[in-house]
Amino acid sequence: MRRVKAKLGDTVADGVCRLVEVDLLAAQWQPDLRFLVISASDEERSRVEQFRTAGLLNVDWIESDGVQAGDVIVPLVNRDEVAVLHRPSDQHHSLQLTNRCNSYCLMCSQPPTQANDEWMVQETVDVVRHMAHSPTVLGLSGGEPLLLGAKLRDVLECVGDWHPETRVEVLTNGRLLASADLSRLILDDLQTPTTWLVPLYGHADFLHDFVVQAPGAYEQTIEGLLNLQAYRQPVQLRIVLIKPVLEILPELCAFIGRNLPFVKEVSLMGCEPIGFALANRELCEVDLVDWHETLQRSARYLSRYAVPFLFMNVPLCALPTDLQQYAHRSISDWKNVYAPECDTCVVKSDCSGFFAWHERGWKPSKTVQLIKESTI
Ligand code: SF4
């Protein structure tokens, strides 16, 4: 989430707003939404005053170099800032439903909190309603979204109602879907196109449970995956490439191929060096160049069982040449950076690059090696 400095009209209150250019306000205005006109001049502000005098009290103004028309924001009134929760021009779009979680993963990039944050659900619904643009894909993440129970279904239906062309991707540990009742509540006759992104870190309970630091999680996640399959929901398995996982990755991939052949794809993901990953650095910091053979064996297993796979959050030069074609640009725009060496690399436009916090933590491979000839 970006935070940008902004000057706001005196009457701007807390709550979600859509930013709009003054000439487009008439076309976009709806009584149950809130609008901030992007204004740079006294004339534009006086037009906003005229709207308000005419009774359009859901219209106000914002002045900021860091915002764009179509942004959906929350004003942080006392700080002269706004939080940008949705930007149409971004490549990736996601909304966070809660900070709470029932796992405690070794490399969690966003350590969970216990506080009641039900307001985040309403905020998400408000953002969805204020989005003028329907993204192709909208991620819903946490914390753990399934902790919302029936409210998760409400959010999914809200996206389906307001943005019927959008596919939702729910990032969840899947554990609570071990419950047949909750599975029915959330999945039965779900019309919103949804893909479930579920992490799996081992092919035995002690392996997975260690990584997610939650006894019993493996059994629950497998049960949850089977329930997703029972409701014909597409599943992407997510595997973060930290040391305890890389040590068993080929066996895990063979297990997936043999036992979970229904999964749509497997995403092999670079670790974000932030949050708990920094505290567990000895387990999370790896140089992927040292693991090329492991990655190649794992890829061979997935290919043998015809399970599609991809790499996310991994720069191309950290992968063996034959696997570079499977890498995706996956890092959200606002946290994506490149090393100075990347400027002359021929594959930069196809490369994931790095998280902004790689400079403070570590990179997926110690050496950034610009590529002079594309293999993808
Ligand atoms: S040098 Fe930079 S742009 Fe090129 S592959 Fe490596 S990280 Fe990507």
Side-chain angles (χ1 to χ4, degrees):
M1 180 222 308
R2 297 177 181 88
R3 285 186 174 199
V4 297
K5 286 282 172 207
K7 210 191 267 183
L8 297 160
D10 290 340
T11 47
V12 172
D14 289 335
V16 172
C17 305
R18 181 195 300 171
L19 306 195
V20 63
E21 281 160 358
V22 69
D23 292 337
L24 294 178
L25 180 65
Q28 295 194 18
W29 186 85
Q30 295 177 49
D32 54 346
L33 301 181
R34 291 171 15 129
F35 297 88
L36 294 182
V37 170
I38 302 175
S39 105
S41 66
D42 291 344
E43 189 200 327
E44 283 166 334
R45 277 176 221 166
S46 72
R47 282 182 72 185
V48 171
E49 284 311 319
Q50 286 165 11
F51 293 138
R52 291 183 63 82
T53 309
L56 303 188
L57 296 178
N58 58 345
V59 178
D60 217 310
W61 61 265
I62 178 172
E63 181 184 345
S64 169
D65 291 337
V67 298
Q68 299 176 5
D71 283 358
V72 180
I73 62 104
V74 171
L76 307 168
V77 177
N78 296 331
R79 293 194 216 154
D80 293 330
E81 280 181 353
V82 297
V84 181
L85 301 180
H86 173 73
R87 170 160 292 175
S89 62
D90 280 348
Q91 265 200 323
H92 303 103
H93 303 277
S94 77
L95 299 170
Q96 191 187 352
L97 291 167
T98 176
N99 287 312
R100 293 173 297 126
C101 191
N102 52 351
S103 291
Y104 229 59
C105 301
L106 292 171
M107 63 300 195
C108 179
S109 60
Q110 212 166 309
T113 57
Q114 301 299 327
N116 181 337
D117 53 16
E118 282 180 13
W119 59 270
M120 292 178 76
V121 182
Q122 186 54 49
E123 185 178 85
T124 299
V125 167
D126 287 343
V127 172
V128 169
R129 291 170 55 243
H130 279 79
M131 284 162 42
H133 133 274
S134 295
T136 308
V137 175
L138 177 66
L140 294 178
S141 71
E144 173 47 51
L146 289 171
L147 290 173
L148 271 58
K151 286 188 184 151
L152 177 59
R153 173 77 182 233
D154 296 342
V155 175
L156 291 170
E157 288 183 348
C158 173
V159 178
D161 290 345
W162 285 77
H163 305 282
E165 305 302 321
T166 294
R167 167 164 286 279
V168 179
E169 291 187 343
V170 181
L171 178 57
T172 167
N173 61 39
R175 293 172 57 190
L176 293 175
L177 289 178
S179 155
D181 288 344
L182 186 66
S183 296
R184 190 178 323 108
L185 198 62
I186 292 180
L187 304 175
D188 191 29
D189 199 28
L190 179 64
Q191 299 296 317
T192 307
T194 305
T195 301
W196 301 83
L197 315 179
V198 183
L200 187 65
Y201 297 122
H203 52 299
D205 53 4
F206 68 96
L207 297 167
H208 180 83
D209 291 1
F210 171 67
V211 174
V212 305
Q213 294 283 291
Y218 174 78
E219 297 292 343
Q220 293 168 337
T221 296
I222 295 291
E223 196 65 37
L225 289 169
L226 296 177
N227 279 333
L228 285 166
Q229 160 66 356
Y231 285 96
R232 296 288 182 265
Q233 294 290 305
V235 172
Q236 181 195 82
L237 287 181
R238 297 204 137 188
I239 302 175
V240 180
L241 301 171
I242 62 171
K243 205 163 160 209
V245 176
L246 282 159
E247 282 166 353
I248 51 91
L249 188 64
E251 293 77 12
L252 173 56
C253 290
F255 171 85
I256 291 166
R258 279 195 291 266
N259 299 290
L260 305 170
F262 56 84
V263 301
K264 186 175 127 248
E265 60 192 6
V266 172
S267 173
L268 301 160
M269 308 184 65
C271 174
E272 285 190 53
I274 194 169
F276 284 156
L278 292 176
N280 295 309
R281 188 167 184 154
E282 71 289 358
L283 294 171
C284 299
E285 179 176 7
V286 292
D287 186 333
L288 287 178
V289 171
D290 298 337
W291 295 88
H292 276 187
E293 203 207 322
T294 297
L295 296 178
Q296 286 165 317
R297 275 181 60 214
S298 306
R300 278 200 295 276
Y301 275 123
L302 292 170
S303 299
R304 186 178 304 166
Y305 290 103
V307 177
F309 62 92
L310 64 151
F311 288 90
M312 294 176 71
N313 309 347
V314 179
L316 290 166
C317 58
L319 288 171
T321 310
D322 58 328
L323 294 184
Q324 287 173 359
Q325 61 184 300
Y326 301 102
H328 282 227
R329 282 195 69 173
S330 49
I331 299 178
S332 299
D333 311 54
W334 63 274
K335 49 185 176 179
N336 194 190
V337 297
Y338 290 85
E341 297 92 316
C342 302
D343 285 346
T344 48
C345 180
V346 297
V347 294
K348 184 178 177 188
S349 59
D350 295 314
C351 178
S352 216
F354 306 98
F355 287 101
W357 29 90
H358 269 127
E359 292 305 328
R360 274 180 283 132
W362 60 86
K363 291 191 169 68
S365 69
K366 286 197 181 73
T367 44
V368 176
Q369 280 185 314
L370 66 96
I371 295 177
K372 293 190 179 134
E373 210 169 305
S374 176
T375 56
I376 53 175

